[in-house]
Amino acid sequence: MSTVLAMHGLRGGTGVSTLLAGLADALHALQQRVLVVDMSPDNLLGLHFNLPFVEPTGWARALVEGGDWRDAAFAVEDGLTVVPYGRLDLDGISSVEQELAACPDLWRQRIDALSAGVDWLLFDLPSHLPAHAASILRHARCDIGLQVVNVDSGCHALLQRPELRDRAQDWLLVNRYDPGRQLQRDLMQLWLHQFDARLVPQPVHEDGSVPEALASKLPIRRHAPASLAAADLDSLAVWCLTRSNPGPDEVGR
Protein backbone atom coordinates (compact mmCIF):
# COMPACT_ATOMS: atom_id res chain seq x y z
CA MET A 1 0.00 0.00 0.00
CA SER A 2 1.28 3.46 -0.86
CA THR A 3 2.09 6.16 1.69
CA VAL A 4 0.02 9.33 1.35
CA LEU A 5 1.80 12.58 2.17
CA ALA A 6 0.12 16.00 2.08
CA MET A 7 2.11 19.23 2.23
CA HIS A 8 0.47 22.60 2.92
CA GLY A 9 1.68 26.00 4.00
CA LEU A 10 0.81 27.73 7.25
CA ARG A 11 0.16 30.68 4.94
CA GLY A 12 0.72 31.41 1.28
CA GLY A 13 4.23 31.81 -0.07
CA THR A 14 6.07 29.38 2.21
CA GLY A 15 7.47 27.38 -0.73
CA VAL A 16 5.27 24.29 -0.68
CA SER A 17 5.35 23.49 -4.40
CA THR A 18 9.13 23.79 -4.60
CA LEU A 19 9.60 21.57 -1.56
CA LEU A 20 7.15 18.95 -2.74
CA ALA A 21 8.76 18.73 -6.17
CA GLY A 22 12.17 18.36 -4.54
CA LEU A 23 10.90 15.72 -2.12
CA ALA A 24 9.26 13.75 -4.94
CA ASP A 25 12.54 13.77 -6.87
CA ALA A 26 14.52 12.73 -3.77
CA LEU A 27 12.14 9.84 -3.04
CA HIS A 28 12.34 8.74 -6.66
CA ALA A 29 16.14 8.73 -6.40
CA LEU A 30 15.69 6.24 -3.54
CA GLN A 31 13.95 3.86 -5.96
CA GLN A 32 10.46 4.82 -4.87
CA ARG A 33 7.52 5.01 -7.29
CA VAL A 34 6.04 8.48 -6.81
CA LEU A 35 2.83 10.16 -8.00
CA VAL A 36 2.59 13.91 -7.31
CA VAL A 37 -0.75 15.74 -7.43
CA ASP A 38 -1.09 19.51 -7.59
CA MET A 39 -4.16 20.55 -5.59
CA SER A 40 -3.41 24.27 -5.91
CA PRO A 41 -5.05 26.47 -8.57
CA ASP A 42 -1.71 28.26 -8.96
CA ASN A 43 -0.83 25.18 -11.02
CA LEU A 44 2.92 25.69 -10.50
CA LEU A 45 4.00 22.20 -9.50
CA GLY A 46 4.32 20.99 -13.09
CA LEU A 47 6.82 23.77 -13.85
CA HIS A 48 9.36 21.97 -11.65
CA PHE A 49 9.05 18.96 -13.96
CA ASN A 50 9.47 20.89 -17.21
CA LEU A 51 5.78 21.07 -18.11
CA PRO A 52 4.90 24.16 -20.15
CA PHE A 53 3.14 26.89 -18.19
CA VAL A 54 0.54 27.14 -20.96
CA GLU A 55 -0.37 23.44 -20.64
CA PRO A 56 -4.11 23.58 -19.86
CA THR A 57 -4.83 20.00 -18.77
CA GLY A 58 -5.16 18.89 -15.18
CA TRP A 59 -7.40 16.93 -12.83
CA ALA A 60 -9.45 19.99 -11.81
CA ARG A 61 -10.01 21.07 -15.39
CA ALA A 62 -11.11 17.52 -16.18
CA LEU A 63 -13.56 17.69 -13.27
CA VAL A 64 -15.11 20.89 -14.62
CA GLU A 65 -15.23 19.65 -18.22
CA GLY A 66 -16.37 16.11 -17.43
CA GLY A 67 -13.19 14.44 -18.67
CA ASP A 68 -11.11 11.61 -17.21
CA TRP A 69 -8.66 13.07 -14.67
CA ARG A 70 -6.18 10.24 -15.34
CA ASP A 71 -5.60 11.64 -18.81
CA ALA A 72 -3.97 14.64 -17.09
CA ALA A 73 -1.11 12.55 -15.65
CA PHE A 74 2.33 13.25 -17.12
CA ALA A 75 5.11 10.67 -16.80
CA VAL A 76 8.30 12.59 -15.98
CA GLU A 77 10.21 9.32 -16.19
CA ASP A 78 9.66 5.74 -15.15
CA GLY A 79 8.33 5.74 -11.60
CA LEU A 80 7.76 9.51 -11.36
CA THR A 81 4.42 10.98 -12.45
CA VAL A 82 2.88 14.43 -11.94
CA VAL A 83 -0.80 15.35 -12.15
CA PRO A 84 -1.27 19.13 -12.60
CA TYR A 85 -4.26 21.07 -11.34
CA GLY A 86 -4.98 22.52 -14.78
CA ARG A 87 -5.64 26.06 -15.93
CA LEU A 88 -8.99 27.42 -14.71
CA ASP A 89 -10.50 30.86 -14.27
CA LEU A 90 -11.96 31.99 -10.94
CA ASP A 91 -15.39 30.58 -11.76
CA GLY A 92 -13.85 27.20 -12.56
CA ILE A 93 -11.85 27.16 -9.34
CA SER A 94 -14.97 28.04 -7.37
CA SER A 95 -16.83 25.23 -9.12
CA VAL A 96 -14.15 22.71 -8.10
CA GLU A 97 -14.24 23.97 -4.50
CA GLN A 98 -18.01 23.49 -4.43
CA GLU A 99 -17.73 20.03 -5.97
CA LEU A 100 -15.17 18.93 -3.37
CA ALA A 101 -17.34 20.33 -0.58
CA ALA A 102 -20.34 18.39 -1.94
CA CYS A 103 -18.35 15.17 -2.60
CA PRO A 104 -15.61 15.20 0.06
CA ASP A 105 -14.68 11.55 -0.51
CA LEU A 106 -13.73 12.10 -4.16
CA TRP A 107 -10.01 11.87 -3.56
CA ARG A 108 -10.36 9.08 -1.01
CA GLN A 109 -11.80 6.92 -3.76
CA ARG A 110 -9.03 7.91 -6.15
CA ILE A 111 -6.33 7.24 -3.56
CA ASP A 112 -7.76 3.79 -2.91
CA ALA A 113 -7.62 3.04 -6.65
CA LEU A 114 -4.04 4.32 -7.01
CA SER A 115 -2.50 2.80 -3.91
CA ALA A 116 -1.49 -0.49 -5.47
CA GLY A 117 0.50 1.11 -8.29
CA VAL A 118 2.82 3.54 -6.49
CA ASP A 119 4.85 3.73 -3.30
CA TRP A 120 4.11 7.40 -2.56
CA LEU A 121 1.19 9.72 -3.28
CA LEU A 122 2.22 13.33 -2.66
CA PHE A 123 -0.29 16.19 -2.55
CA ASP A 124 0.46 19.91 -2.87
CA LEU A 125 -2.39 21.58 -0.96
CA PRO A 126 -3.48 25.25 -1.17
CA SER A 127 -3.67 27.36 1.97
CA HIS A 128 -6.82 29.29 0.94
CA LEU A 129 -9.34 26.70 -0.33
CA PRO A 130 -10.68 24.70 2.63
CA ALA A 131 -12.56 22.02 0.67
CA HIS A 132 -9.48 21.33 -1.50
CA ALA A 133 -7.33 20.79 1.60
CA ALA A 134 -9.99 18.92 3.58
CA SER A 135 -10.51 16.43 0.74
CA ILE A 136 -7.05 15.07 1.59
CA LEU A 137 -6.40 16.02 5.21
CA ARG A 138 -9.82 15.10 6.61
CA HIS A 139 -11.68 12.90 4.16
CA ALA A 140 -8.91 10.74 2.70
CA ARG A 141 -6.13 8.62 4.11
CA CYS A 142 -3.26 10.96 4.95
CA ASP A 143 -0.31 9.15 6.53
CA ILE A 144 2.05 12.13 6.81
CA GLY A 145 0.87 15.74 7.00
CA LEU A 146 3.57 18.40 6.63
CA GLN A 147 2.75 22.01 7.39
CA VAL A 148 5.44 24.27 5.92
CA VAL A 149 6.56 27.31 7.92
CA ASN A 150 9.14 30.02 7.32
CA VAL A 151 11.17 31.25 10.28
CA ASP A 152 9.66 34.72 10.46
CA SER A 153 7.45 36.77 12.75
CA GLY A 154 4.35 36.22 10.60
CA CYS A 155 4.49 32.43 10.85
CA HIS A 156 5.34 32.68 14.54
CA ALA A 157 2.26 34.80 15.18
CA LEU A 158 0.02 32.36 13.27
CA LEU A 159 1.44 29.40 15.19
CA GLN A 160 0.17 30.95 18.41
CA ARG A 161 -3.44 30.69 17.25
CA PRO A 162 -5.04 27.77 19.14
CA GLU A 163 -6.65 26.21 16.06
CA LEU A 164 -3.23 26.04 14.37
CA ARG A 165 -1.09 25.43 17.43
CA ASP A 166 -3.13 22.38 18.41
CA ARG A 167 -3.04 20.59 15.01
CA ALA A 168 -0.92 17.83 16.51
CA GLN A 169 -1.54 15.56 13.52
CA ASP A 170 0.64 17.79 11.33
CA TRP A 171 4.41 17.90 11.37
CA LEU A 172 5.99 21.35 11.09
CA LEU A 173 8.56 21.56 8.30
CA VAL A 174 10.82 24.61 8.43
CA ASN A 175 11.74 26.04 5.03
CA ARG A 176 14.26 28.77 4.07
CA TYR A 177 16.07 28.59 7.40
CA ASP A 178 19.08 30.92 7.61
CA PRO A 179 21.01 30.32 10.85
CA GLY A 180 23.10 33.39 10.09
CA ARG A 181 20.16 35.61 11.06
CA GLN A 182 19.70 36.24 14.78
CA LEU A 183 15.91 36.44 14.60
CA GLN A 184 15.70 33.07 12.87
CA ARG A 185 18.02 31.45 15.41
CA ASP A 186 15.94 32.87 18.26
CA LEU A 187 12.65 31.71 16.71
CA MET A 188 14.04 28.24 16.05
CA GLN A 189 15.06 27.92 19.69
CA LEU A 190 11.59 29.03 20.76
CA TRP A 191 9.91 26.60 18.36
CA LEU A 192 12.11 23.77 19.57
CA HIS A 193 10.77 24.48 23.04
CA GLN A 194 7.13 24.93 21.98
CA PHE A 195 6.77 22.36 19.21
CA ASP A 196 9.61 19.89 19.72
CA ALA A 197 7.41 16.82 19.20
CA ARG A 198 6.02 18.22 15.91
CA LEU A 199 9.11 19.72 14.28
CA VAL A 200 10.61 17.72 11.43
CA PRO A 201 14.24 17.29 12.55
CA GLN A 202 15.54 18.28 9.10
CA PRO A 203 14.87 21.94 8.19
CA VAL A 204 15.43 23.08 4.61
CA HIS A 205 17.96 25.89 4.59
CA GLU A 206 17.88 29.13 2.62
CA ASP A 207 19.67 28.47 -0.65
CA GLY A 208 20.07 30.69 -3.71
CA SER A 209 19.96 27.63 -5.95
CA VAL A 210 16.27 27.09 -5.22
CA PRO A 211 14.81 29.99 -7.28
CA GLU A 212 17.36 29.19 -10.00
CA ALA A 213 16.01 25.62 -10.12
CA LEU A 214 12.47 26.85 -10.79
CA ALA A 215 13.79 29.14 -13.52
CA SER A 216 15.41 26.05 -15.04
CA LYS A 217 12.12 24.11 -14.60
CA LEU A 218 13.89 21.39 -12.62
CA PRO A 219 13.72 20.02 -9.08
CA ILE A 220 16.56 21.37 -6.95
CA ARG A 221 18.43 18.06 -6.85
CA ARG A 222 18.68 18.00 -10.63
CA HIS A 223 19.57 21.66 -11.04
CA ALA A 224 22.12 21.86 -8.21
CA PRO A 225 22.85 18.39 -6.80
CA ALA A 226 25.69 19.69 -4.58
CA SER A 227 23.57 22.45 -3.01
CA LEU A 228 22.63 22.61 0.66
CA ALA A 229 18.91 22.51 -0.15
CA ALA A 230 19.40 19.34 -2.22
CA ALA A 231 21.16 17.67 0.71
CA ASP A 232 18.35 18.78 3.04
CA LEU A 233 15.72 17.27 0.74
CA ASP A 234 17.65 14.01 0.52
CA SER A 235 17.62 13.87 4.32
CA LEU A 236 13.92 14.74 4.38
CA ALA A 237 13.20 11.88 1.97
CA VAL A 238 15.00 9.45 4.27
CA TRP A 239 13.02 10.80 7.23
CA CYS A 240 9.78 10.29 5.29
CA LEU A 241 10.75 6.70 4.52
CA THR A 242 11.38 6.16 8.21
CA ARG A 243 8.00 7.64 9.06
CA SER A 244 6.28 5.37 6.52
CA ASN A 245 7.82 2.35 8.26
CA PRO A 246 8.07 3.43 11.89
CA GLY A 247 9.89 1.39 14.48
CA PRO A 248 8.20 0.35 17.73
CA ASP A 249 9.41 3.47 19.56
CA GLU A 250 7.89 5.77 16.93
CA VAL A 251 4.44 4.24 16.47
CA GLY A 252 1.76 6.74 17.47
CA ARG A 253 3.97 9.81 17.25
Side-chain angles (χ1 to χ4, degrees):
M1 180 179 290
S2 60
T3 300
V4 179
L5 182 148
M7 189 179 290
H8 57 113
L10 180 63
R11 55 169 170 74
T14 56
V16 171
S17 296
T18 299
L19 284 182
L20 195 69
L23 176 60
D25 188 49
L27 286 167
H28 182 252
L30 294 173
Q31 309 303 312
Q32 299 292 294
R33 297 169 300 167
V34 183
L35 177 67
V36 195
V37 181
D38 193 349
M39 298 288 290
S40 172
D42 292 336
N43 199 38
L44 294 176
L45 187 63
L47 290 181
H48 295 276
F49 298 103
N50 203 34
L51 294 185
F53 183 68
V54 295
E55 173 59 52
T57 58
W59 70 266
R61 188 180 181 95
L63 186 65
V64 170
E65 296 180 346
D68 189 336
W69 70 276
R70 289 166 293 192
D71 292 339
F74 291 83
V76 179
E77 56 186 61
D78 187 32
L80 179 58
T81 303
V82 59
V83 181
Y85 187 89
R87 292 175 64 85
L88 288 175
D89 59 19
L90 291 178
D91 288 340
I93 295 167
S94 177
S95 175
V96 174
E97 175 76 355
Q98 294 172 20
E99 181 73 16
L100 291 175
C103 304
D105 63 344
L106 176 70
W107 272 103
R108 178 185 60 78
Q109 297 170 1
R110 293 177 175 182
I111 287 171
D112 290 344
L114 290 167
S115 286
V118 295
D119 300 306
W120 288 84
L121 282 163
L122 308 185
F123 289 89
D124 177 355
L125 303 183
S127 59
H128 59 290
L129 292 169
H132 280 62
S135 67
I136 305 300
L137 293 174
R138 291 177 52 194
H139 302 294
R141 175 172 58 86
C142 181
D143 302 302
I144 302 175
L146 296 177
Q147 188 171 62
V148 179
V149 294
N150 297 152
V151 193
D152 58 34
S153 300
C155 281
H156 179 67
L158 288 173
L159 283 171
Q160 307 313 305
R161 293 168 58 179
E163 67 271 24
L164 297 176
R165 185 181 64 240
D166 298 336
R167 286 182 60 87
Q169 71 270 33
D170 290 334
W171 290 87
L172 294 176
L173 173 60
V174 171
N175 188 30
R176 300 173 183 152
Y177 177 49
D178 183 356
R181 295 182 177 274
Q182 182 67 49
L183 175 62
Q184 293 203 23
R185 292 200 305 272
D186 291 346
L187 284 175
M188 276 295 285
Q189 288 301 313
L190 184 57
W191 290 358
L192 284 168
H193 175 72
Q194 285 187 312
F195 309 113
D196 177 58
R198 291 178 56 201
L199 274 177
V200 175
Q202 177 59 64
V204 179
H205 290 79
E206 181 73 37
D207 191 325
S209 299
V210 173
E212 295 172 357
L214 178 56
S216 300
K217 298 179 71 176
L218 291 171
I220 182 63
R221 292 181 70 263
R222 302 192 186 201
H223 172 72
S227 65
L228 180 57
D232 291 340
L233 286 166
D234 285 341
S235 297
L236 178 62
V238 172
W239 179 85
C240 288
L241 283 172
T242 302
R243 293 303 313 165
S244 68
N245 296 285
D249 295 335
E250 295 179 305
V251 173
R253 281 197 61 201

